[in-house]
Amino acid sequence: MNSDSTHASAPVPALDLEPAARRVVGLLDAIDDDRLGGPTPCPDYSVRELLAHLSGLAAAFRDAARKDLGASTAVSPDTALPVLDDDWREVLPRRLEQAAEAWRSPAAWTGMTRAGGVELPGEVAGAVALDELVVHGWDLARSTGQPYGVGEAELRACAALLAPVDDDPDRGGIFGPPVPVPDDAPLLDRVIGLSGRRPDWRPGV
């Protein structure tokens, strides 16, 4: 059997990170240097730190998918404020593209891996990676006054990950306590609420 037929018969990962990665990349051109000090829905982060966090998580989840468990996957993002690379306009898009490509491999979704210093199954790490891109993409869009739309399949995957666990209803997924949002609100708003953010957040509001 040749390599092409082997590749064709491989299972397709359930989640595709490429749309989320491209969505973040699409926000970058509108962010000039004057915006880097602006606030974000993440209280400890300015736009500068948010971009640095996105760059770091893109590298970490790229390497987690590859099972390349080194320095990028070993450190919790809460250890210190992230520092933005001077060449972030080149580095961040490249890392996002690499992360999306790495998670296209079925092998990324199997076995154990590590991200943020935490050991976890590949399928969980992939879902967390998608959620990080979707939620922090919203953070970046909202911080810089840009529109932001997400596909329903992505949002449902994020909602499943962030839903409060039965024995701790005040804790929502990986971001902290959820913000109440009406049941009939748009799915994006509900996901953002589950992530601990107010869907109506605006700079200065």
Side-chain angles (χ1 to χ4, degrees), residues 24-96:
V24 173
V25 171
L27 299 170
L28 303 182
D29 283 347
I31 303 174
D32 56 35
D33 290 349
D34 290 342
R35 290 183 180 268
L36 294 180
T40 75
C42 307
D44 295 332
Y45 287 176
S46 67
V47 171
R48 176 181 286 102
E49 281 85 35
L50 178 57
L51 289 166
H53 179 64
L54 278 162
S55 187
L57 74 85
F61 282 103
R62 173 199 66 198
D63 294 343
R66 296 172 176 173
K67 309 298 195 291
D68 182 10
L69 307 183
S72 66
T73 66
V75 180
S76 168
D78 298 329
T79 301
L81 281 178
V83 178
L84 187 63
D85 297 311
D86 291 338
D87 55 351
W88 66 271
R89 294 185 186 278
E90 292 75 39
V91 171
L92 178 52
R94 182 169 67 248
R95 286 181 174 178
L96 288 166

Side-chain angles (χ1 to χ4, degrees), residues 97-121:
E97 180 181 355
Q98 291 169 343
E101 177 64 30
W103 284 101
R104 288 195 194 97
S105 170
W109 300 83
T110 63
M112 296 295 292
T113 190
R114 183 177 67 205
V118 178
E119 304 283 337
L120 67 175

Side-chain angles (χ1 to χ4, degrees), residues 158-178:
C158 292
L161 182 73
L162 293 171
V165 292
D166 291 341
D167 60 349
D168 191 358
D170 291 329
R171 182 171 180 269
I174 58 176
F175 285 99

